[in-house]
Amino acid sequence: MMGGGGGGQQQLQELSQQLQEIQQQIEALEEEIDGLETESDEIDEAIEAIETLESGSTVQVPLGGDAYLRAEVQDIDEVIVGLGGGYSAEQEQGDAIETLEAKQDTVGEEIEGVEAQIEELEDESTQIEEKAQQLQQQQMQQQMAQMQEQEGDDE
């Protein structure tokens, strides 16, 4: 009878390891969401800048390494927008905003997809936790039954 209890312990350890792996996956997905939300915020800022800046405005242009250069916007009507895959295109102000809004939609869909993955993992985690609780209860019942058997044999 003791061998069965040992198998239950092994199952509990396996379930615990599965829970840890799921938690790590959830944390990685949450980091991915953070990155996507940062990208979304940057797109919002770009759209706002395109909508509010005028030709002749002074802006700070990032050079990298936290270094900036003041520059004058020569023509706000022509905006260079990244299209993805390392490609960019010069677009009129309205088209640039539309391109950025489309990017924003794509990022929003990606966030929803990752959130759905997290939800699935959380559901799986809940099921594993319930299974682990059932195993623990079974083990306790077996131990109680064994103790009662031993008490009965002692009499």
Side-chain angles (χ1 to χ4, degrees):
M1 272 289 184
M2 288 299 230
Q9 245 348 80
Q10 184 176 351
Q11 279 184 302
L12 283 173
Q13 287 175 344
E14 289 171 5
L15 293 174
S16 175
Q17 186 168 352
Q18 287 175 357
L19 286 171
Q20 287 176 350
E21 290 170 5
I22 288 172
Q23 188 58 41
Q24 289 172 346
Q25 290 173 348
I26 289 172
E27 288 172 9
L29 291 171
E30 287 173 343
E31 287 178 22
E32 187 175 338
I33 286 177
D34 288 345
L36 289 168
E37 287 175 342
T38 298
E39 183 178 349
S40 178
D41 291 344
E42 290 173 357
I43 293 170
D44 283 338
E45 290 173 11
I47 291 170
E48 183 179 346
I50 293 169
E51 291 174 336
T52 58
L53 286 175
E54 298 176 359
S55 295
S57 298
T58 301
V59 295
Q60 291 185 3
V61 179
L63 299 175
D66 273 341
Y68 297 86
L69 180 66
R70 292 191 200 282
E72 182 179 304
V73 176
Q74 291 183 353
D75 185 4
I76 193 63
D77 295 329
E78 296 296 328
V79 180
I80 299 172
V81 179
L83 303 175
Y87 293 97
S88 299
E90 187 173 298
Q91 297 180 335
E92 291 183 14
Q93 187 178 16
D95 293 337
I97 290 171
E98 285 179 21
T99 299
L100 290 170
E101 287 172 341
K103 272 187 178 182
Q104 187 74 288
D105 291 343
T106 300
V107 170
E109 290 170 5
E110 288 179 34
I111 289 172
E112 287 175 9
V114 174
E115 286 173 341
Q117 289 178 348
I118 289 173
E119 193 172 314
E120 288 176 16
L121 287 170
E122 287 173 342
D123 289 345
E124 186 178 341
S125 177
T126 299
Q127 291 173 359
I128 291 172
E129 288 172 355
E130 289 172 359
K131 188 174 182 179
Q133 288 175 350
Q134 289 172 351
L135 271 172
Q136 286 176 327
Q137 288 174 349
Q138 288 174 355
Q139 284 182 346
M140 288 179 62
Q141 289 172 352
Q142 287 175 353
Q143 289 174 352
M144 293 295 283
Q146 287 174 356
M147 289 174 56
Q148 289 174 352
E149 281 180 25
Q150 287 176 354
E151 287 176 10
D153 289 344
D154 290 344
E155 291 179 14

